[in-house]
Amino acid sequence: MSKPIVAIVGRPNVGKSTLFNALAGEMISIVKDTPGVTRDRIYADVEWLNHNFTLIDTGGIEPDSRDIILSQMREQAQIAIDTADVIIFITDVRQGLVDSDTKVADMLRRSHKPVILAVNKVDNFDKFMPDVYEFYNLGIGDPQPISASSRLGIGDLLDRVVEHFDGLELEEEEDERPRIAVVGKPNVGKSSLVNKLTGNNRVIVSNIAGTTRDAIDTEITWNGKEYVFIDTAGLRRKKKIKEEIERYSIIRTVTAVERANVVVVMIDATEGITEQDAKIAGIAHENGKGVIIAVNKWDAIEKNDKTIYQFTAKIRDVLAYMPYAEIMFISAQTGQRLPKLFDMIDTVLENQSMRVGTGVLNEIMTEAVALQQPPSDKGKRLKLYYITQVAVKPPTFVIFVNDKELMHFSYTRYIENKIRESFGFKGTPLRFIIRERKES
């Protein structure tokens, strides 16, 4: 089940980032940074009343002149409308209702997406309520008074956000078909890949970076099995500043990854693996999705007998935090090795859902502990009592130990490697939860 996506939209200086941080800071456990992944705080995982969702800040570059602000806001609103399940539209009680608020509200209203209107900087409800009522004029429902900086009214705001989730969760569950997100930098060949697989040009492809329409779901049947491909291709406008294109493509990537079971991260063979590729792959890793690294445009590379090994080594080095990722070399243009892509997707899907019996897991763990003694600290040695698998997608294990502090990352990684030696789990991350159990 993919998590709902909630986006924050609003003019510069109304407090978008303050609200984002208020929601993403205290109430939220931000996933610990994966080594090798830099995190732009564009998105965060939020939990409220047993609901998990992904929060997105559509903000970005804040220009100075009025007309640019409006076009920027429209752009942000469009991104939110395209990608979010629920939109928080934030306004400022002290500046009052402004012309651009009205214009953006019109767009949001026409989108028929649930919109929650937050009126920020209401530090004193009694004093400001008459000014809050003015925002009823936007015609998008009841204004919710908040103060992001003093964290007033945030709980009520979140209550209203999660009310809209119930309908969403049912839709996706009925569709059993595997969902494959194709992600990567602009111009790496995402749409060409999907086109080649469908055998027709349903997606408009051209060579200008960032010309494809919005994420499109394409149904593809291969050997009698149906798959849904989610293409995260680009943006509407070409006159974009580089950081902005990057920000928006990251937002698109996050939303596509959320909905997918397996993520195909495309890398341009002619450019080699870049920091942006590492960032994009990191999103899939943090979300616990199956990952296939597809090196595209392989037909365009001068090769000798060592090329593949050198290329693979470089990818493994940059993506050291995800050694499980499958790597393949393809050409979306010529169709080289594309049939193999489906075999790999099927393997990764199977591994994402694989369950290992508790008995076998404990045998593996006992043997691992015998081979390499657990770490100790100040005379106290780590003891591992018991391991069991508690979930799939990704496979998740709980290990009971005598002292959590002693269970270092490296020893967990060692246990993981032992499990992988027996069961492979190719293409999928494994999650480990360490629990303390007092010695009986």
mmCIF file of all heavy atoms in Angstrom, residues 165-183:
data_model
loop_
_atom_site.group_PDB
_atom_site.id
_atom_site.type_symbol
_atom_site.label_atom_id
_atom_site.label_comp_id
_atom_site.label_asym_id
_atom_site.label_seq_id
_atom_site.Cartn_x
_atom_site.Cartn_y
_atom_site.Cartn_z
ATOM 1 N N PHE A 165 -7.884 10.496 3.829
ATOM 2 C CA PHE A 165 -7.108 9.331 3.396
ATOM 3 C C PHE A 165 -7.946 8.077 3.157
ATOM 4 O O PHE A 165 -7.569 7.225 2.373
ATOM 5 C CB PHE A 165 -6.013 8.983 4.413
ATOM 6 C CG PHE A 165 -4.916 10.005 4.504
ATOM 7 C CD1 PHE A 165 -3.992 9.968 5.530
ATOM 8 C CD2 PHE A 165 -4.796 11.007 3.548
ATOM 9 C CE1 PHE A 165 -2.975 10.900 5.616
ATOM 10 C CE2 PHE A 165 -3.788 11.949 3.629
ATOM 11 C CZ PHE A 165 -2.878 11.898 4.670
ATOM 12 N N ASP A 166 -9.074 7.959 3.872
ATOM 13 C CA ASP A 166 -9.783 6.675 3.840
ATOM 14 C C ASP A 166 -10.154 6.223 2.442
ATOM 15 O O ASP A 166 -9.931 5.092 2.065
ATOM 16 C CB ASP A 166 -11.031 6.731 4.733
ATOM 17 C CG ASP A 166 -10.619 6.889 6.189
ATOM 18 O OD1 ASP A 166 -9.434 6.604 6.493
ATOM 19 O OD2 ASP A 166 -11.447 7.307 7.011
ATOM 20 N N GLY A 167 -10.682 7.143 1.650
ATOM 21 C CA GLY A 167 -11.081 6.789 0.292
ATOM 22 C C GLY A 167 -9.898 6.338 -0.558
ATOM 23 O O GLY A 167 -10.021 5.434 -1.381
ATOM 24 N N LEU A 168 -8.746 6.975 -0.337
ATOM 25 C CA LEU A 168 -7.575 6.695 -1.180
ATOM 26 C C LEU A 168 -7.073 5.285 -0.992
ATOM 27 O O LEU A 168 -6.663 4.615 -1.924
ATOM 28 C CB LEU A 168 -6.417 7.611 -0.769
ATOM 29 C CG LEU A 168 -6.634 9.099 -0.844
ATOM 30 C CD1 LEU A 168 -5.497 9.820 -0.144
ATOM 31 C CD2 LEU A 168 -6.692 9.505 -2.306
ATOM 32 N N GLU A 169 -7.080 4.827 0.276
ATOM 33 C CA GLU A 169 -6.406 3.581 0.565
ATOM 34 C C GLU A 169 -7.105 2.404 -0.091
ATOM 35 O O GLU A 169 -6.491 1.409 -0.416
ATOM 36 C CB GLU A 169 -6.286 3.421 2.079
ATOM 37 C CG GLU A 169 -5.348 4.506 2.625
ATOM 38 C CD GLU A 169 -5.232 4.560 4.131
ATOM 39 O OE1 GLU A 169 -5.921 3.760 4.799
ATOM 40 O OE2 GLU A 169 -4.471 5.389 4.633
ATOM 41 N N LEU A 170 -8.411 2.564 -0.325
ATOM 42 C CA LEU A 170 -9.142 1.450 -0.929
ATOM 43 C C LEU A 170 -8.812 1.295 -2.403
ATOM 44 O O LEU A 170 -8.645 0.194 -2.899
ATOM 45 C CB LEU A 170 -10.647 1.686 -0.757
ATOM 46 C CG LEU A 170 -11.061 1.817 0.713
ATOM 47 C CD1 LEU A 170 -12.503 2.304 0.824
ATOM 48 C CD2 LEU A 170 -10.893 0.482 1.425
ATOM 49 N N GLU A 171 -8.670 2.428 -3.104
ATOM 50 C CA GLU A 171 -8.473 2.370 -4.562
ATOM 51 C C GLU A 171 -7.282 1.502 -4.943
ATOM 52 O O GLU A 171 -7.369 0.621 -5.775
ATOM 53 C CB GLU A 171 -8.215 3.773 -5.124
ATOM 54 C CG GLU A 171 -9.439 4.647 -5.141
ATOM 55 C CD GLU A 171 -9.084 6.087 -5.491
ATOM 56 O OE1 GLU A 171 -8.101 6.289 -6.220
ATOM 57 O OE2 GLU A 171 -9.794 6.994 -5.033
ATOM 58 N N GLU A 172 -6.138 1.784 -4.313
ATOM 59 C CA GLU A 172 -4.901 1.133 -4.742
ATOM 60 C C GLU A 172 -4.897 -0.352 -4.402
ATOM 61 O O GLU A 172 -4.298 -1.146 -5.087
ATOM 62 C CB GLU A 172 -3.697 1.798 -4.064
ATOM 63 C CG GLU A 172 -3.516 3.231 -4.485
ATOM 64 C CD GLU A 172 -2.355 3.423 -5.458
ATOM 65 O OE1 GLU A 172 -1.221 3.331 -5.016
ATOM 66 O OE2 GLU A 172 -2.610 3.649 -6.637
ATOM 67 N N GLU A 173 -5.566 -0.718 -3.304
ATOM 68 C CA GLU A 173 -5.449 -2.099 -2.854
ATOM 69 C C GLU A 173 -6.114 -3.071 -3.806
ATOM 70 O O GLU A 173 -5.756 -4.236 -3.868
ATOM 71 C CB GLU A 173 -6.016 -2.247 -1.442
ATOM 72 C CG GLU A 173 -4.982 -1.823 -0.415
ATOM 73 C CD GLU A 173 -5.511 -1.772 0.998
ATOM 74 O OE1 GLU A 173 -6.686 -2.115 1.212
ATOM 75 O OE2 GLU A 173 -4.731 -1.392 1.880
ATOM 76 N N GLU A 174 -7.119 -2.578 -4.545
ATOM 77 C CA GLU A 174 -7.833 -3.490 -5.445
ATOM 78 C C GLU A 174 -6.982 -3.854 -6.654
ATOM 79 O O GLU A 174 -7.160 -4.897 -7.251
ATOM 80 C CB GLU A 174 -9.139 -2.839 -5.897
ATOM 81 C CG GLU A 174 -10.148 -2.806 -4.753
ATOM 82 C CD GLU A 174 -11.292 -1.855 -5.011
ATOM 83 O OE1 GLU A 174 -11.409 -1.348 -6.141
ATOM 84 O OE2 GLU A 174 -12.071 -1.622 -4.078
ATOM 85 N N ASP A 175 -6.044 -2.984 -7.008
ATOM 86 C CA ASP A 175 -5.207 -3.224 -8.173
ATOM 87 C C ASP A 175 -4.001 -4.069 -7.763
ATOM 88 O O ASP A 175 -3.084 -3.589 -7.126
ATOM 89 C CB ASP A 175 -4.750 -1.882 -8.760
ATOM 90 C CG ASP A 175 -4.093 -2.065 -10.124
ATOM 91 O OD1 ASP A 175 -3.777 -3.219 -10.480
ATOM 92 O OD2 ASP A 175 -3.889 -1.057 -10.826
ATOM 93 N N GLU A 176 -4.037 -5.331 -8.133
ATOM 94 C CA GLU A 176 -3.001 -6.262 -7.686
ATOM 95 C C GLU A 176 -1.766 -6.241 -8.580
ATOM 96 O O GLU A 176 -0.769 -6.881 -8.284
ATOM 97 C CB GLU A 176 -3.565 -7.701 -7.691
ATOM 98 C CG GLU A 176 -4.643 -7.932 -6.666
ATOM 99 C CD GLU A 176 -4.069 -7.993 -5.247
ATOM 100 O OE1 GLU A 176 -3.354 -8.966 -4.946
ATOM 101 O OE2 GLU A 176 -4.326 -7.072 -4.461
ATOM 102 N N ARG A 177 -1.865 -5.554 -9.723
ATOM 103 C CA ARG A 177 -0.765 -5.629 -10.689
ATOM 104 C C ARG A 177 0.487 -4.968 -10.130
ATOM 105 O O ARG A 177 0.401 -3.954 -9.446
ATOM 106 C CB ARG A 177 -1.173 -4.922 -11.984
ATOM 107 C CG ARG A 177 -2.351 -5.599 -12.658
ATOM 108 C CD ARG A 177 -2.822 -4.810 -13.835
ATOM 109 N NE ARG A 177 -3.280 -3.472 -13.460
ATOM 110 C CZ ARG A 177 -3.769 -2.596 -14.320
ATOM 111 N NH1 ARG A 177 -3.869 -2.920 -15.595
ATOM 112 N NH2 ARG A 177 -4.163 -1.404 -13.927
ATOM 113 N N PRO A 178 1.658 -5.560 -10.432
ATOM 114 C CA PRO A 178 2.896 -4.946 -9.948
ATOM 115 C C PRO A 178 3.098 -3.574 -10.573
ATOM 116 O O PRO A 178 2.844 -3.383 -11.766
ATOM 117 C CB PRO A 178 3.993 -5.908 -10.399
ATOM 118 C CG PRO A 178 3.362 -6.938 -11.239
ATOM 119 C CD PRO A 178 1.889 -6.818 -11.161
ATOM 120 N N ARG A 179 3.542 -2.625 -9.758
ATOM 121 C CA ARG A 179 3.789 -1.264 -10.247
ATOM 122 C C ARG A 179 5.286 -1.008 -10.292
ATOM 123 O O ARG A 179 5.990 -1.191 -9.303
ATOM 124 C CB ARG A 179 3.083 -0.244 -9.347
ATOM 125 C CG ARG A 179 1.574 -0.236 -9.561
ATOM 126 C CD ARG A 179 0.920 0.954 -8.888
ATOM 127 N NE ARG A 179 1.007 0.866 -7.456
ATOM 128 C CZ ARG A 179 0.163 0.178 -6.708
ATOM 129 N NH1 ARG A 179 -0.831 -0.493 -7.271
ATOM 130 N NH2 ARG A 179 0.311 0.140 -5.401
ATOM 131 N N ILE A 180 5.749 -0.565 -11.447
ATOM 132 C CA ILE A 180 7.172 -0.367 -11.681
ATOM 133 C C ILE A 180 7.397 1.116 -11.953
ATOM 134 O O ILE A 180 6.846 1.648 -12.917
ATOM 135 C CB ILE A 180 7.643 -1.162 -12.937
ATOM 136 C CG1 ILE A 180 7.027 -2.569 -13.006
ATOM 137 C CG2 ILE A 180 9.168 -1.179 -13.022
ATOM 138 C CD1 ILE A 180 7.314 -3.455 -11.824
ATOM 139 N N ALA A 181 8.182 1.783 -11.121
ATOM 140 C CA ALA A 181 8.487 3.195 -11.380
ATOM 141 C C ALA A 181 9.789 3.278 -12.162
ATOM 142 O O ALA A 181 10.770 2.630 -11.815
ATOM 143 C CB ALA A 181 8.624 3.968 -10.076
ATOM 144 N N VAL A 182 9.767 4.062 -13.230
ATOM 145 C CA VAL A 182 10.989 4.286 -14.004
ATOM 146 C C VAL A 182 11.479 5.683 -13.633
ATOM 147 O O VAL A 182 10.813 6.677 -13.915
ATOM 148 C CB VAL A 182 10.702 4.203 -15.514
ATOM 149 C CG1 VAL A 182 11.985 4.381 -16.311
ATOM 150 C CG2 VAL A 182 10.053 2.860 -15.851
ATOM 151 N N VAL A 183 12.627 5.759 -12.950
ATOM 152 C CA VAL A 183 13.108 7.048 -12.460
ATOM 153 C C VAL A 183 14.522 7.301 -12.965
ATOM 154 O O VAL A 183 15.207 6.393 -13.424
ATOM 155 C CB VAL A 183 13.084 7.121 -10.910
ATOM 156 C CG1 VAL A 183 11.686 6.843 -10.375
ATOM 157 C CG2 VAL A 183 14.088 6.158 -10.290
#
